[in-house]
Amino acid sequence: MKEFLKYVLATIVGLILTSIIFTIITVVSLAGMMASEGTSGSVPKNSVLRINLDGEVVERAGEGSPMDILSTEEDPSIGLDQALDAIKKAAKNDRVKGIYLKGGSLAAYPADLQELRRALVEFKESGKWIVAYGDSYSRGAYYLCSVADELFLNPSGSIDFCGMASQPIFYTGLLKKIGVKMQVFKVGTYKSAVEPYINTEMSDANREQVKSYLYSIWNNILQDVAKSRKIDADELNAFADSAILLCNAKKYVECRLADKLAYISDVKKALKERLELGDDDDLKFTKIADVAAGDNLGDKVSDEVAVYYAYGEISDSKGSGFNQEHSITTNETITELQKLRKNKDVKAVVIRVNSPGGSAYASEQIWHEIQLLRAEKPVVISMGGLAASGGYYISCGANEIWAEPTTLTGSIGIFGMIPDASELLTQKLGLTFDVVKTNAMSDFGSFTRPFNANESAKLQAYINQGYELFTGRVAGGRGMAQDSVKAIAEGRVWTGEQAQNIGLVDKLGNLDDAIEAAAKLADVEKYTVGRYPGTEPWYMSMLDKSKNGYMEDHIRAALGEYYPAFAIVRRIGKMNPIQARLPYEPNIK
């Protein structure tokens, strides 16, 4: 009887769970159908495209959840691909009359902002208007909003236009406290990726390169803002030196950085006047996602120029990078590029690179696959915010390389960094170790002891070999002598405009320019633009985030104040020992 009741109860529970699962699937499916139904109708007539300049600019927008249709809140991040698509379509969509930029605190690489700004300028050239308003503007948000026909500022607001700074974090003191010492092997005077782990301040060489690329980026920003706001660049620089962030709001209007001081209600009234609406009429706003979901521009044809997005750190496999964000992994990237190579409809490929680099081994494998692709069809590189070190490695063999003037690229160098945790393990944690080995280097690479002189020499020779291979790849791809490459390599970071002057980049321009160049190389006039790889289904990203977030939250809670040190050691332990990577996170402010 007891067994019978047990099976009956199990059956009832199973039926209940099945019903719940089917209910969830039905709701999600309905929401999905609602979200995909009649995309052109989702943009109201006489509407304004509202772009909130808050959060972060990422390379690609996620697919999102079908349940997003039930939410009134917008994703705080801006997918660069989706935003560019929406602005381009908004210029030709009769339902969209203008763009409203809501200023705020926006995090983005300068080159990504430059590409967005160019799209906004082209939108204005279509004859439509742009209005901007902000309670306060970060430098990045103001750089975009300065293109507006009217720029409003809250009477109590501020504009951050105080120049640029790079402030790297050095972990040397922290590592010393926990008993970890970094064993570093590198090639390149400017290859400063290791500095945060062995120094307490910038080396002279690193300070030189950071100053060089910061001034290059800042000069681009000055020139663009000066042109839009009709202010001399030297005058703008003087404003930046005068702590303009802390001035009275009226000063911004006097300096011509803003047009008017206004509250949000005043801005809405100004928008209504532009739309010829009455006081009682409602403003109709539309979102980036809604406009981007509209009909594609141009006719569908069989010939295709494929855009492959390679963004994030370069790693040997999923989960082997520094974090859980999107990464360029060997197997996935090679598989996708092989598909494009075999696809007869694809006449040319543009690889959109936005990466600080990563594993030198993975970079070499991806470089090789790009060479196989190039042997059959033209390959053009479009560099985004970053295409440095390993990011440049995978780019150097293309037919053409395009970059934004403020793209951070180059950093041609190799390094290895392996921690010696013997002090942490023995003196601080009280562990002891012994070993039995068959050969002299059987325990090579162990965290429990430092390298001896022979091991250090062999590892440095291996790093030197990797540098020779890297510079050789660049020399072959760019048609330069290897000694000439070495003269501009040494791990040094360049901006796109600097890289063009020394032969590392062919032309300055955005993704659209690179697509046009690829079509020209393939000798096709009419073509469709395909984007690869396809976006990941919303439920997969949800499952991944849930899994990683659950574990991460529990580890963080258990370790408390010791979590940062643990995270540093864990990241280093996961990465490939030999790296072709940008010197630390640029940390540009």
Side-chain angles (χ1 to χ4, degrees), residues 204-368:
D204 291 341
N206 189 26
R207 191 176 298 277
E208 176 192 345
Q209 73 169 344
V210 172
K211 182 178 180 180
S212 176
Y213 68 65
L214 271 187
Y215 273 83
S216 176
I217 294 168
W218 179 239
N219 185 61
N220 272 271
I221 292 174
L222 284 176
Q223 296 301 325
D224 288 342
V225 174
K227 184 177 180 181
S228 292
R229 299 300 303 170
K230 296 179 174 57
I231 306 173
D232 186 77
D234 290 338
E235 195 175 356
L236 282 173
N237 237 345
F239 293 156
D241 286 335
S242 67
I244 195 81
L245 174 65
L246 304 176
C247 75
N248 185 288
K250 293 179 181 179
K251 182 72 174 178
Y252 297 114
V253 178
E254 293 173 10
C255 294
R256 306 187 305 285
L257 291 176
D259 294 306
K260 296 177 184 177
L261 299 182
Y263 293 97
I264 187 65
S265 56
D266 302 319
V267 178
K268 288 182 177 179
K269 184 177 179 180
L271 290 173
K272 286 184 178 182
E273 289 175 358
R274 286 181 175 273
L275 295 168
E276 299 181 351
L277 296 175
D279 292 339
D280 296 331
D281 294 328
D282 292 329
L283 282 169
K284 296 176 182 177
F285 291 108
T286 187
K287 298 184 295 184
I288 287 174
D290 294 335
V291 179
D295 296 332
N296 288 321
L297 304 173
D299 299 325
K300 178 76 174 177
V301 295
S302 58
D303 288 346
E304 180 181 314
V305 173
V307 177
Y308 180 79
Y309 289 87
Y311 61 104
E313 294 176 0
I314 300 174
S315 59
D316 301 295
S317 61
K318 286 186 176 180
S320 63
F322 281 148
N323 50 46
Q324 297 295 334
E325 296 175 1
H326 190 279
S327 60
I328 306 168
T329 55
T330 310
N331 290 339
E332 287 77 2
T333 303
I334 288 175
T335 299
E336 291 290 337
L337 292 178
Q338 286 173 345
K339 289 178 183 177
L340 295 177
R341 176 157 54 93
K342 294 173 183 177
N343 188 333
K344 294 182 179 179
D345 290 335
V346 173
K347 305 303 180 184
V349 178
V350 175
I351 302 178
R352 171 69 172 191
V353 179
N354 201 338
S355 172
S359 165
Y361 175 81
S363 300
E364 165 69 14
Q365 308 315 304
I366 295 169
W367 171 88
H368 177 258

Side-chain angles (χ1 to χ4, degrees), residues 122-196:
E122 291 175 353
F123 176 86
K124 283 182 62 178
E125 290 172 353
S126 73
K128 297 186 178 183
W129 47 263
I130 297 176
V131 170
Y133 167 78
D135 296 321
S136 62
Y137 294 90
S138 67
R139 186 194 64 246
Y142 183 76
Y143 177 59
L144 294 179
C145 291
S146 64
V147 77
D149 296 274
E150 278 189 291
L151 194 151
F152 295 95
L153 174 68
N154 188 284
S156 299
S158 62
I159 297 174
D160 181 357
F161 200 74
C162 297
M164 302 181 70
S166 176
Q167 190 175 25
I169 300 172
F170 293 86
Y171 304 106
T172 309
L174 173 61
L175 293 173
K176 185 176 181 181
K177 285 183 178 181
I178 64 174
V180 175
K181 181 180 179 180
M182 286 299 167
Q183 302 171 102
V184 169
F185 307 86
K186 67 168 186 169
V187 180
T189 304
Y190 298 91
K191 198 65 181 175
S192 51
V194 298
E195 285 190 6

